[in-house]
Amino acid sequence: MHEDDPTLEAGAPRGGDAGARPPLNLRQIEVFRAIMLSGSISGAGRMLHVSQPAISRVLALMESRLRYPLFERSRSRLVPTAEARRLYAEVEQVYGGIQRVNALATSLGEAGAGMLRVVSSASFGQRMIPTTLRELRAGKAHVRVDYRSATYDELAGYFLSGQADIAVSMRPPDHPNLAAIELGHSEVVCILPPGHALAARSVIRPEDFSSVDWVGYPAEAPLGRVLAEFFGGTPSHAAAMEVHSPVTAAAFVQQGLGPAMVDAWCVGPELRRSVAVRPIAPAARVGIWATYSDLQPLPLMARRFLAVLRTVIDGEPAPVFGDPVTS
């Protein structure tokens, strides 16, 4: 019965031979489980989409290898022996493990290694990051995201504490265990309260800040460095207020506390309704950097996030200048 059975390896010992019992293979275990679940050869065949003779041959080979019966024949059904019942309990544990492996493999394909952890400058968290996540989730609905905004000084700490997969900022943190790539640039613009004296100008220049209160940034902040280049050093009239984020600067401008310079990504439709936007001369821009750990590979979902982010940045139109948009 076994001579033409492709599942029987050459040289495998027969049921009556002495010596060690050869191990069962995965196909035989699969057939055994199907018989236990269905209670018959025909039912197992339907479950596995194979013929009844093929199931019978595999079962016969299993019993020959084990040298004890697994089933008692009772009419059209197979009644498992005590040995079969005990073996089945172990098989189900194995199948439970296989199902968990398959579930994890599927999850990794859909959502990387669990949750995607993103950190960014608050300014980029206004539109850039939400737009990227919307596009990412449009094709991968099960992506779970932990998003946090942070100042430049805080970025490295998120990686060192294991709380970030990828960070997006105007300037990459300087740390030996972090790698960064520049994805693009964002133009720096001046936003002003409606009716402010400088709003009458079509272009804002360094000397225009010499007689007005304005909102600035610390010298070590990314936009603080941009301002130093814009003013050619220290401004003749220091900022009346310093903030650590363009988002905070925009809130100050909305309250009439003076003009501020922000990156164009900070100026969304909501902000455009309440502030005037002007270009600056000389022109300035900030970088858009993606940072990740150099000690381990970037997770799958973080790589997908990065690819979508590039598309979002490339598709951003040039800033629109003018007075507040009221309609």
Side-chain angles (χ1 to χ4, degrees):
M1 179 173 74
H2 300 288
E3 296 301 326
D4 59 350
D5 187 351
T7 65
L8 180 60
E9 298 89 343
R14 303 297 180 179
D17 296 340
R21 292 173 173 82
L24 300 178
N25 59 41
L26 291 177
R27 180 58 173 171
Q28 291 166 341
I29 294 174
E30 182 182 37
V31 167
F32 168 72
R33 179 175 182 269
I35 296 174
M36 289 292 292
L37 291 174
S38 66
S40 67
I41 295 291
S42 59
R46 286 192 296 271
M47 285 183 62
L48 300 178
H49 305 288
V50 297
S51 67
Q52 293 184 40
I55 297 292
S56 296
R57 286 195 298 271
V58 173
L59 176 59
L61 177 58
M62 288 180 65
E63 293 180 324
S64 173
R65 285 186 167 189
L66 295 173
R67 302 173 196 167
Y68 56 79
L70 292 170
F71 299 94
E72 300 291 340
R73 278 66 177 173
S74 175
R75 297 182 182 178
S76 60
R77 297 190 64 80
L78 298 178
V79 180
T81 63
E83 292 82 4
R85 294 180 188 279
R86 185 170 179 181
L87 182 62
Y88 176 70
E90 294 296 324
V91 167
E92 278 304 299
Q93 290 188 31
V94 171
Y95 265 78
I98 292 174
Q99 289 174 348
R100 289 191 294 273
V101 169
N102 283 332
L104 176 60
T106 300
S107 174
L108 290 174
E110 292 179 347
M115 181 176 290
L116 173 63
R117 298 165 300 177
V118 181
V119 179
S120 85
S121 304
S123 177
F124 294 159
Q126 298 295 293
R127 293 189 302 118
M128 181 193 296
I129 302 301
T131 301
T132 301
L133 292 176
R134 182 193 66 202
E135 296 299 320
L136 183 67
R137 288 180 61 85
K140 298 288 176 182
H142 300 297
V143 177
R144 296 178 62 235
V145 178
D146 178 6
Y147 170 76
R148 308 181 189 210
S149 63
T151 64
Y152 169 76
D153 294 332
E154 298 170 331
L155 290 176
Y158 279 103
F159 285 99
L160 298 178
S161 61
Q163 299 181 75
D165 295 318
I166 192 164
V168 185
S169 59
M170 299 178 188
R171 182 165 155 244
D174 184 14
H175 193 279
N177 293 336
L178 298 178
I181 53 174
E182 190 169 20
L183 304 177
H185 297 89
S186 180
E187 189 170 344
V188 174
V189 301
C190 182
I191 56 175
L192 309 98
H196 191 275
L198 295 186
R201 303 178 185 276
S202 59
V203 178
I204 305 300
R205 304 180 186 278
E207 57 269 22
D208 295 330
F209 290 87
S210 61
S211 59
V212 300
D213 288 339
W214 56 284
V215 182
Y217 305 91
E220 67 276 8
L223 275 169
R225 293 170 178 256
V226 170
L227 289 181
E229 295 180 5
F230 175 75
F231 287 112
T234 303
S236 58
H237 181 61
M241 289 148 285
E242 282 192 352
V243 297
H244 291 258
S245 164
V247 175
T248 306
F252 279 31
V253 173
Q254 287 177 299
Q255 295 303 315
L257 295 175
M261 283 189 278
V262 300
D263 64 287
W265 274 103
C266 184
V267 186
E270 291 295 327
L271 185 60
R272 284 290 284 112
R273 295 188 179 101
S274 58
V275 301
V277 184
R278 299 288 186 270
I280 62 174
R285 60 184 187 177
V286 293
I288 303 173
W289 291 82
T291 301
Y292 50 91
S293 173
D294 201 26
L295 300 179
Q296 58 189 10
L298 196 61
L300 171 63
M301 193 49 59
R303 295 198 301 271
R304 291 177 176 171
F305 171 86
L306 189 56
V308 176
L309 177 60
R310 289 180 184 273
T311 302
V312 169
I313 293 171
D314 292 343
E316 174 70 1
V320 177
F321 302 107
D323 293 326
V325 177
T326 57
S327 59

